[in-house]
Structure formats: structure tokens, C-alpha cells
Amino acid sequence: MEAGPAVWPSTAPAASTPAPSSPVPGLRNGPLDLPHVIIVSDELDNLTFITAPIARDAKGVEIPVKLTLSGNEVTASLAPSAGQELAYPVLMDPGFGYGSATPSERSYCFWNPIDCTAAYDAANKAFKQAQDWYPDRTLFQGTGDSFRHCYWNARMEIRLSTTDAYEFATRHESTSSGVDKQMDLKNNVIGREIGRKRTGQNSAGTKARDDCRSAQRNGKLWIIKSGKLVRSNQ
């Protein structure tokens, strides 16, 4: 029998045991009552995140929603509380996102779905911030790229363990090579160092964001010019 993509709740406990023979470990049917579901597909080389829908009726009253997992299908349905009357029509707004992932990343996400969700969220926030602050031409091998990697790793360091932040960032570069890989790995390290210094502080994420921007402006990060690594203020 040909196996489909692995699907499971993203708040399942992380596992450290060897991979089982079944392609979908820990899969269970029924209501999930969870904020995310992750789909890992080796066939598509990506990760897909299905976020918990938000539902409101015609009066603007929020209605609980449940996710139900059956095989490889995820269904979102209304789950009003006892005695709750609904004013139709009801608007339900599910969300999803996806991103390419290396085989090494997908393997780690397979066993660490909670942390994978956090790493994905950190990457999205870092990318959007880089888009807001830097010209598009700098988002690959330029100042925007250096800031993005710094801020992504800082956020992971604040949210996750040092080990998990390192694993996600390093596995993400497992298929890259040359100066591009060197640049990203160097900026990743600096970002995690910034995150460690800010962990536990109020507004740690905002402070780490500003630290990464300062690091870029002060030449503490790395970019690529004419095929060579140079400091980020050049």
C-alpha cells in the first residue's frame, strides 16, 4: 500500500525514539481541539500548516471550531457550546501556510511538530519584517537577507531550546553550499547569540529585532558582494 503524507496535530509531544515502520506515527482520528495541524510531504518537498479556523455568526459572536482528523483528511466544523444559538450566515475563516523544507528539516519536524510550528512562525515574522525594512534587491545575499536570518534565529532562540534553534537553522542549510551557506550559517549564529541575551526579558522579540538591525548596520552580520563574504555595512 502506498503511504500518503504524514499528518498529525502540531501539539503532539515531541518524540526521540527511532522512526517506526509505520509512515504516520501517533496518528489518531477524531476531534483534535488543537491550534495547528502539520502535513509533511516528502513527495512535494514541503511542510503545510493548517491553523485553527475562526468562526463568527451574523451577530459577530465567535463560535468554537473543531478540527477532525480522518486518515489524511482534516475537517473543520462548528462546535457551538451547549445552548448557544447561532445567527446565520456563519463565516469560518481557516488559515494555512506552506514552505519548502529540506529532507533534514522534514525529518526533524516529523518528531518535533510543536517546535516546527514555532520555527515556521519565526521564519515568517522575520521575512515579513525584512520586507518592511529592506529593499527587495537585498533580500537574497544582501542586507535584508542577513537581517532575516539573524532575526529568525533570535526568535527561535527565545521561543525554543538552544538545541532546537540550532537544529532547525542548520538543517535548513543542509542542501545549500558555497558562500551562500557560509553567509547564512554565520548570521544564524549571531542571531542565536542575540536571542540568548534577550531570553526572559520583557519584549524580548522586539529587542532582538532591533539588535539584529543594529548588527546589520554596524557590520556585525555578513552579506555577499561579487561572490565574496563581506561585512553587512559595506
Side-chain angles (χ1 to χ4, degrees), residues 182-201:
Q182 294 174 36
M183 171 188 163
D184 291 344
L185 290 176
K186 284 177 175 289
N187 292 328
N188 290 349
V189 169
I190 296 168
R192 292 196 297 274
E193 290 173 350
I194 289 173
R196 277 194 291 277
K197 293 177 182 178
R198 292 302 186 183
T199 298
Q201 298 181 8

Side-chain angles (χ1 to χ4, degrees), residues 74-230:
V74 179
T75 302
S77 56
L78 299 177
S81 56
Q84 182 177 6
E85 296 184 1
L86 307 184
Y88 290 94
V90 172
L91 174 65
M92 186 162 62
D93 185 19
F96 74 95
Y98 64 90
S100 60
T102 67
S104 184
E105 280 181 287
R106 295 197 301 274
S107 175
Y108 203 73
C109 284
F110 194 90
W111 292 116
N112 299 274
I114 303 174
D115 294 338
C116 185
T117 303
Y120 174 81
D121 181 65
N124 276 343
K125 284 183 169 59
F127 181 70
K128 290 176 181 177
Q129 190 65 64
Q131 285 183 309
D132 288 343
W133 279 358
Y134 294 89
D136 288 347
R137 67 180 184 277
T138 70
L139 297 179
F140 177 65
Q141 298 185 345
T143 51
D145 196 3
S146 68
F147 165 82
R148 177 173 62 86
H149 276 266
C150 177
Y151 186 34
W152 172 41
N153 277 260
R155 291 192 67 94
M156 287 197 294
E157 185 72 34
I158 293 168
R159 174 74 183 275
L160 307 175
S161 70
T162 294
T163 297
D164 283 328
Y166 167 82
E167 289 287 350
F168 281 115
T170 305
R171 287 168 182 264
H172 182 70
E173 306 302 333
S174 61
T175 58
S176 63
S177 60
V179 290
D180 184 61
K181 182 172 185 174
Q182 294 174 36
M183 171 188 163
D184 291 344
L185 290 176
K186 284 177 175 289
N187 292 328
N188 290 349
V189 169
I190 296 168
R192 292 196 297 274
E193 290 173 350
I194 289 173
R196 277 194 291 277
K197 293 177 182 178
R198 292 302 186 183
T199 298
Q201 298 181 8
N202 292 331
S203 303
T206 300
K207 292 176 180 177
R209 178 201 65 188
D210 295 342
D211 288 345
C212 283
R213 191 179 200 185
S214 295
Q216 179 273 303
R217 289 175 167 176
N218 294 329
K220 295 181 179 179
L221 301 181
W222 297 87
I223 62 174
I224 297 173
K225 281 191 175 182
S226 300
K228 295 182 179 181
L229 282 177
V230 298

